[in-house]
Amino acid sequence: PEPSAELREALAGARDAGSARRWIGRRLAEAHETPLSAMLVALNRFDMINTAYGRTVGDGLLRGALKRIEEAAREVLGREALVSRMSGSSYLVAARSPRTRIDLAAERIAGELARPFVTGETIAVLGCRIGLAEAVAADDSGSLLRRASEALADARASDSATVRVAEAGPRDETPIDMLAVALHHAIEQGEIDILFQPQVSVSTGAIVGVEALARWEHAKLGTIGAETLFAAAARAELEIGLSDHIQKITLERAAAWPAELRGLRLALNLTAADIARPGFADRFLDRVDTSGFPRSRLTLEITESGLIEDLGIAASLLSQLRTAGCRIAIDDFGTGYSSLAYLKALPLDYLKIDKKLAQDITGTPRDRVVVRGVIDMARSLGLTVIAEGVETAEQLELLAKEGCQLYQGFLRSEAVSSAVLVGLVSG
């Protein structure tokens, strides 16, 4: 059995190295057909930045890196994955999961750690190297971690490799390449599904809308989320085809909702590739009208990380869609550097606070001031504020105090099917 109170690493809040090794030892002792995998993640350039800017900045970077690793591991590997800070600026991720999904997690972690960090007044670009080992019959926790450490050393010695694997022979294809090859078939065979995550009124607790989220039910890997799905589409040059497919099936599904759901708003994501397409607004509105779903209950979400290069073109397109009866939301607000430019240039109705920013409200007083500033700014512009990724009652209480009007997240519900949604709305 798990100990009742595990040791917690003081700075980052993860398991300490000793309890992480004991966790691995217990898992290795269990009989299971899926092998345990362990990856060691080491931050690049941390010592240099820590020396230049001091311990306070360094500690903030370590906490920020842990948070990104935890988010990536949870999304790809599930909540059973172990995430621990080891020594210095290195971390451990361990899980039982198919090898291709482990590889996807490594790619996601590397991508998250490549994004700039902001701590205090400092912007730092770190990146990482990852050593990965898959347990074999003779492994105990020490030997598994030693092989992961040797793979990490190989990655650090390489000029280009972010990830090294402790195994004989390289893998010819990355997991994203493998998914890209299979994606066209997946679209044709109906393996891409749509789930709906409730959007809830903070003041009344009523479900007032949903966000449509794409999922790929992969025969071998299980559920693949939207971010990985679109990464595979980009590799396969199928972004537009995938987006069209998702829009079509989402609108058809929502148009067929039973009476209990016919008062809900539907939020549908648009990609940067959609916005850049000539004539997209007319084609999209035709698709909406053909489906039978009312324009007046449709919110179109754009993400600030979608790298819309020409805000003038984007503003014109979104104004056309808004004039036609749709509403516009900016998604994942707070993750990029163009936030204020978007607010100034685009015709918006909703601002969605990114989940990482929303969850920071329970952090330091400074974190709360930042969230309060975003909410105050949005409301002063006449925008309705939606918090994403709300997981605890404490987060919701603090967001409510700061004036957030709607929320979505695991506190109320994960993304669900239409049938489950009926029960949530009726109950």
Side-chain angles (χ1 to χ4, degrees):
E2 296 282 338
S4 59
E6 291 178 319
L7 296 172
R8 305 293 291 183
E9 200 278 340
L11 171 65
R15 295 171 187 258
D16 68 5
S19 59
R21 289 189 180 93
R22 289 191 291 275
W23 184 95
I24 289 175
R26 288 193 297 272
R27 297 304 180 274
L28 289 174
E30 298 168 352
H32 203 289
E33 61 184 31
T34 302
L36 183 72
S37 293
M39 65 177 85
L40 289 173
V41 182
L43 301 181
N44 297 338
R45 295 183 288 276
F46 174 78
D47 290 343
M48 178 181 67
I49 293 172
N50 193 44
T51 300
Y53 295 101
R55 181 173 178 177
T56 299
V57 169
D59 288 354
L61 290 174
L62 293 176
R63 283 190 292 268
L66 173 69
K67 189 170 183 180
R68 293 190 190 182
I69 294 169
E70 287 178 329
E71 289 280 348
R74 175 185 296 181
E75 289 178 12
V76 180
L77 300 174
R79 293 173 179 267
E80 297 303 313
L82 167 77
V83 178
S84 172
R85 179 165 174 257
M86 300 299 277
S87 61
S89 57
S90 66
Y91 303 84
L92 168 68
V93 178
R96 286 196 189 278
S97 197
R99 173 55 191 279
T100 309
R101 188 170 278 276
I102 294 290
D103 289 345
L104 286 172
E107 287 197 6
R108 175 71 67 81
I109 289 168
E112 288 296 312
L113 295 179
R115 294 191 296 110
F117 288 82
V118 180
T119 175
E121 305 297 323
T122 304
I123 298 176
V125 179
L126 296 176
C128 70
R129 291 288 189 268
I130 298 174
L132 172 61
E134 188 176 275
V136 296
D139 271 331
D140 57 18
S141 60
S143 62
L144 177 62
L145 291 176
R146 184 165 55 253
R147 292 194 300 111
S149 180
E150 290 168 354
L152 175 60
D154 288 343
R156 282 173 151 167
S158 167
D159 292 332
S160 58
T162 299
V163 182
R164 287 289 197 196
V165 180
E167 64 178 7
R171 293 169 66 89
D172 293 329
E173 289 186 305
T174 70
I176 289 293
D177 286 332
M178 296 165 65
L179 290 175
V181 170
L183 181 57
H184 193 281
H185 178 77
I187 293 173
E188 290 183 341
Q189 296 300 311
E191 295 176 10
I192 310 300
D193 195 17
I194 302 297
L195 298 178
F196 301 98
Q197 184 165 45
Q199 296 179 333
V200 186
S201 168
V202 170
S203 60
T204 69
I207 296 174
V208 297
V210 294
E211 179 184 1
L213 298 171
R215 296 289 186 267
W216 181 358
E217 296 302 325
H218 194 281
K220 293 183 178 179
L221 298 178
T223 303
I224 302 293
E227 189 168 341
T228 303
L229 176 57
F230 273 94
R235 190 70 58 91
E237 298 185 350
L238 280 173
E239 289 172 288
I240 289 176
L242 176 63
S243 188
D244 282 345
H245 179 71
I246 289 171
Q247 290 165 20
K248 180 175 182 292
I249 61 176
T250 299
L251 290 165
E252 289 175 351
R253 193 83 53 86
W257 275 344
E260 296 94 329
L261 304 183
R262 287 183 184 159
L264 299 183
R265 294 198 64 81
L266 171 66
L268 182 60
N269 290 279
L270 299 184
T271 68
D274 289 326
I275 292 172
R277 294 159 66 182
F280 172 75
D282 289 335
R283 285 197 299 274
F284 178 78
L285 291 170
D286 284 344
R287 179 172 291 146
V288 174
D289 294 342
T290 299
S291 75
F293 191 85
R295 297 179 181 181
S296 60
R297 284 171 41 214
L298 187 61
T299 298
L300 305 176
E301 296 190 359
I302 59 167
T303 174
E304 66 164 303
S305 58
L307 301 177
I308 301 171
E309 296 181 358
D310 192 326
L311 286 179
I313 292 175
S316 176
L317 170 72
L318 296 176
S319 293
Q320 187 178 348
L321 293 169
R322 197 164 180 255
T323 300
C326 303
R327 291 292 172 259
I328 308 297
I330 183 169
D331 195 10
D332 295 341
F333 188 85
T335 59
Y337 296 94
S338 52
S339 306
L340 296 179
Y342 277 61
L343 291 187
K344 287 167 57 179
L346 301 179
L348 301 171
D349 301 283
Y350 298 89
L351 182 146
K352 299 186 70 178
I353 301 174
D354 178 69
K355 62 184 177 183
K356 297 180 179 67
L357 188 62
Q359 291 166 2
D360 279 348
I361 199 165
T362 57
T364 67
R366 185 167 183 164
D367 290 330
R368 188 169 175 181
V369 167
V370 171
V371 179
R372 177 186 303 147
V374 170
I375 294 173
D376 287 347
M377 178 174 59
R379 296 195 64 172
S380 69
L381 292 171
L383 306 181
T384 299
V385 180
I386 306 174
E388 295 186 282
V390 178
E391 297 186 351
T392 68
E394 182 187 11
Q395 291 168 359
L396 179 58
E397 181 182 0
L398 292 174
L399 287 163
K401 286 180 179 178
E402 300 302 345
C404 184
Q405 294 131 302
L406 301 173
Y407 77 95
Q408 62 188 84
F410 285 116
L411 178 63
R412 182 58 178 267
S413 176
E414 61 185 346
V416 297
S417 66
S418 295
V420 175
L421 183 61
V422 170
L424 292 173
V425 170
S426 301

